[in-house]
Amino acid sequence: MQILFADQIRQWDAYTIKHQHISSLDLMERAVTKCVTWLESHEFLHRHFFIFCGKGNNGGDGLALARLLKERHCTVDIFMTSSESACSADFETNLERLRKTNSHVAPLAAIADFPLLPTDALVIDALFGSGLNRPVDDITASLVNYLNEAKRTCIAVDIPSGMFADQSSKGHPVINATYTLTFQCLKLAFLMPESEKHLGQIKVLDIGLAPEFLETIDTRYVLMEKEMIAALYQPRRAFTNKGSFGHALLVAGGYGKMGAAVLSVKGALQSGVGLLTCYIPACGYTIMQITNPEAMVLTDDDEKNITSLRMDLSAYAAVGIGPGMGTNAKTVDALEHLLDTFHKPLVIDADALNMIAKKPELLKKIPPDSILTPHPKEFDRLFGECANDFNRMDLAQQKATALGVIIVLKGHRTFIAMSTGKHFFNSTGNAGMATGGSGDTLTGILTGLIAQPYSPAHAVCLGVYLHGRAGDLAAAAKSQEAMTAGDISGFLGDAFKSL
């Protein structure tokens, strides 16, 4: 699914109106009819509707929805803000249509006008749509706060009012919706962690916008879905051997953190790599041989830490580094030696990222097309504190381009910043994966895929999607609460099969 900016969505509406020979009112009617169908399918039509409208086209959606609900003999109360802004033409037309049903629209000129909301009230938020370009204020801000404090079931039409579609709304009054019924595609804001509390459950309603429009524009962001990922997947040919699928090296582990190395190795093995060597501190030798007999093991001279990587690396198609390593001075030296001597793409995670954050000049030594996999705190340590999720996403894009690398900003909707200017959000994964070791598993998966060989760009998209899909399968089998990071690699085979 392509993620469009608000202005591009308006262009899509206009394109559809022109090429399908319909009016904007017809398109609005199509959208609210879909909303009514959704309400009916969720058995909401018996509820008492309180519909709050602004004066723009989103308010027009609310008025049209009120009319359709009244035609179905629903109980509907309608309210309109009394801002000084002019009414849109479609709002005016829908207001006239609604008045013909003998409906009363109550103005909201002061806080005293806010209605009492019974416990069974179903609030429809149609105050502001995706065209909002400044924070809500004055009486409307008070209304947003009032509705949030009431904690009634709230359905936002298109986007929760007060939320900007393409930039951060952090710190501004925004409706807290129970459900968001949006049209045709997700908004960029819907993929940001900071928006979660405002969105509730999101339902994308297909309102028949002309699909060919998408071929006329350049979109920067894509939501990775099954069809896209299945096209990247390379089925195995019959006449192959272990050498056909590459030899990877994982540099990981430290005293008390050998579990990170074990999980990373399991991820690489389950990704289909032909041969895997892990380089670990001496204390982990027995642990690794017992837990992962399929992997070969090399140990550092140091018992507890990785302090030297002065070895021939020419045999390895891919190297992943970081999980559980710690950040002592000799380990930093080992990482720097690797960056000086290995010039193929690396997968850099966890403590390797933290070491680079302590010694930022190492950023310039990272080989082109390497994959960096920070979570938000690691990202901020690397590149500086960010005020909000949009700033962090923008900075990830800038750094990916400047360094010629791929940055995987991990989260519920993991963001992949490519150096090419095309960027991806993931559609798989769940909160059960918010547990120690999940990122280590991803490091192994990505390293194994690059070795096979997938290009780094294809490996990162395939690996991130499969990692999340395996997590979803694990949660379905064990629950989000009970699943562990080890379950992710355990379900990776089923994730591959699902493609």
Side-chain angles (χ1 to χ4, degrees):
M1 178 188 291
Q2 291 165 281
I3 308 300
L4 277 60
F5 293 116
D7 184 58
Q8 291 175 315
I9 296 172
R10 285 191 289 275
Q11 293 173 34
W12 197 359
D13 288 344
Y15 182 96
T16 301
I17 289 166
K18 178 179 178 181
H19 289 81
Q20 293 185 0
H21 307 292
I22 61 173
S23 69
S24 57
L25 275 169
D26 293 333
L27 188 58
M28 186 178 287
E29 196 78 2
R30 192 188 289 179
V32 296
T33 299
K34 287 281 187 176
C35 290
V36 172
T37 300
W38 184 91
L39 289 166
E40 184 175 27
S41 69
H42 285 71
E43 300 183 349
F44 282 135
L45 295 189
H46 69 283
R47 300 282 290 272
H48 186 168
F49 289 89
F50 287 75
I51 302 181
F52 294 87
C53 304
K55 292 184 175 181
N57 282 349
N58 191 241
D61 288 334
L63 296 176
L65 181 60
R67 173 172 45 80
L68 294 182
L69 290 173
K70 289 184 77 67
E71 288 174 359
R72 289 172 174 261
H73 308 291
C74 298
T75 304
V76 183
D77 286 329
I78 310 140
F79 303 88
M80 182 178 70
T81 58
S82 297
S83 64
E84 295 180 0
S85 58
C87 300
S88 73
D90 287 350
F91 176 92
E92 292 277 15
T93 302
N94 274 302
L95 184 59
E96 288 302 314
R97 289 178 175 179
L98 181 62
R99 283 172 174 160
K100 290 177 182 178
T101 68
N102 295 319
S103 298
H104 174 65
V105 178
L108 299 174
I111 292 175
D113 297 329
F114 296 173
L116 292 175
L117 297 171
T119 56
D120 70 334
L122 198 158
V123 172
I124 300 292
D125 163 32
L127 294 169
F128 296 102
S130 56
L132 185 71
N133 55 21
R134 61 183 178 84
V136 297
D137 54 15
D138 300 330
I139 188 68
T140 310
S142 298
L143 176 60
V144 168
N145 292 330
Y146 174 76
L147 295 176
N148 286 343
E149 290 167 5
K151 300 185 185 302
R152 301 296 187 255
T153 301
C154 177
I155 297 175
V157 177
D158 193 34
I159 188 170
S161 291
M163 180 179 289
F164 301 127
D166 305 328
Q167 60 181 315
S168 178
S169 310
K170 191 173 181 180
H172 301 313
V174 179
I175 285 286
N176 296 333
T178 314
Y179 302 91
T180 297
L181 305 184
T182 199
F183 304 124
Q184 209 66 43
C185 68
L186 295 172
K187 312 295 190 289
L188 187 59
F190 293 3
L191 300 166
M192 299 294 162
E194 68 185 51
S195 301
E196 180 185 14
K197 67 178 181 179
H198 304 299
L199 293 165
Q201 295 182 37
I202 303 169
K203 176 63 179 177
V204 180
L205 301 178
D206 185 347
I207 60 171
L209 295 185
E212 65 271 18
F213 170 78
L214 297 176
E215 300 172 7
T216 71
I217 60 169
D218 181 32
T219 53
R220 188 186 306 173
Y221 303 109
V222 174
L223 180 69
M224 300 189 303
E225 296 180 294
K226 180 180 177 180
E227 182 178 318
M228 170 194 162
I229 300 303
L232 301 179
Y233 168 65
Q234 301 174 19
R236 296 201 164 194
R237 294 175 289 106
F239 287 89
T240 55
N241 57 64
K242 61 188 177 184
S244 305
F245 302 107
H247 189 174
L249 174 69
L250 277 171
V251 183
Y255 184 77
K257 293 185 178 180
M258 280 309 301
V262 168
L263 289 166
S264 189
V265 167
K266 285 185 182 295
L269 291 170
Q270 295 290 341
S271 76
V273 68
L275 291 166
L276 180 65
T277 295
C278 50
Y279 188 92
I280 58 175
C283 65
Y285 178 77
T286 302
I287 294 170
M288 191 61 72
Q289 292 285 51
I290 291 172
T291 57
N292 287 294
E294 302 90 345
M296 296 174 282
V297 179
L298 296 174
T299 59
D300 195 275
D301 293 337
D302 192 283
E303 181 70 17
K304 295 184 176 182
N305 300 290
I306 292 171
T307 60
S308 174
L309 278 170
R310 299 185 182 280
M311 53 189 282
D312 182 8
L313 299 171
S314 61
Y316 303 110
V319 174
I321 184 168
M325 288 179 66
T327 60
N328 71 49
K330 289 186 177 180
T331 306
V332 175
D333 291 341
L335 171 62
E336 185 165 10
H337 177 73
L338 174 67
L339 295 174
D340 286 334
T341 56
F342 190 79
H343 304 298
K344 300 173 188 176
L346 294 165
V347 180
I348 305 174
D349 183 36
D351 282 330
L353 296 172
N354 293 329
M355 286 185 274
I356 294 171
K358 290 184 174 182
K359 196 172 183 179
E361 59 267 31
L362 297 182
L363 281 168
K364 296 181 180 179
K365 296 187 175 187
I366 297 174
D369 296 324
S370 291
I371 301 171
L372 283 61
T373 60
H375 56 60
K377 287 186 178 180
E378 289 168 341
F379 181 90
D380 287 359
R381 283 196 286 268
L382 268 174
F383 300 119
E385 292 287 332
C386 295
N388 57 64
D389 295 321
F390 277 87
N391 287 354
R392 190 173 290 110
M393 179 191 70
D394 291 341
L395 185 57
Q397 295 170 61
Q398 294 169 26
K399 294 298 182 181
T401 299
L403 298 170
V405 300
I406 300 169
I407 297 177
V408 179
L409 186 54
K410 294 183 290 193
H412 174 54
R413 289 285 175 251
T414 290
F415 177 65
I416 301 171
M418 299 284 192
S419 60
T420 58
K422 195 80 169 181
H423 313 293
F424 301 88
F425 289 93
N426 191 30
S427 64
T428 60
N430 62 84
M433 300 173 72
T435 186
S438 292
D440 305 320
T441 303
L442 177 62
T443 297
I445 292 171
L446 297 177
T447 305
L449 290 173
I450 292 175
Q452 290 189 47
Y454 286 89
S455 70
H458 287 181
V460 74
C461 291
L462 179 62
V464 167
Y465 180 92
L466 287 171
H467 178 255
R469 176 66 177 142
D472 289 339
L473 293 167
K478 297 192 171 186
S479 80
Q480 292 185 12
E481 292 78 10
M483 67 173 286
T484 65
D487 294 324
I488 297 172
S489 56
F491 279 90
L492 196 57
D494 290 325
F496 272 108
K497 288 163 66 176
S498 74
L499 295 179

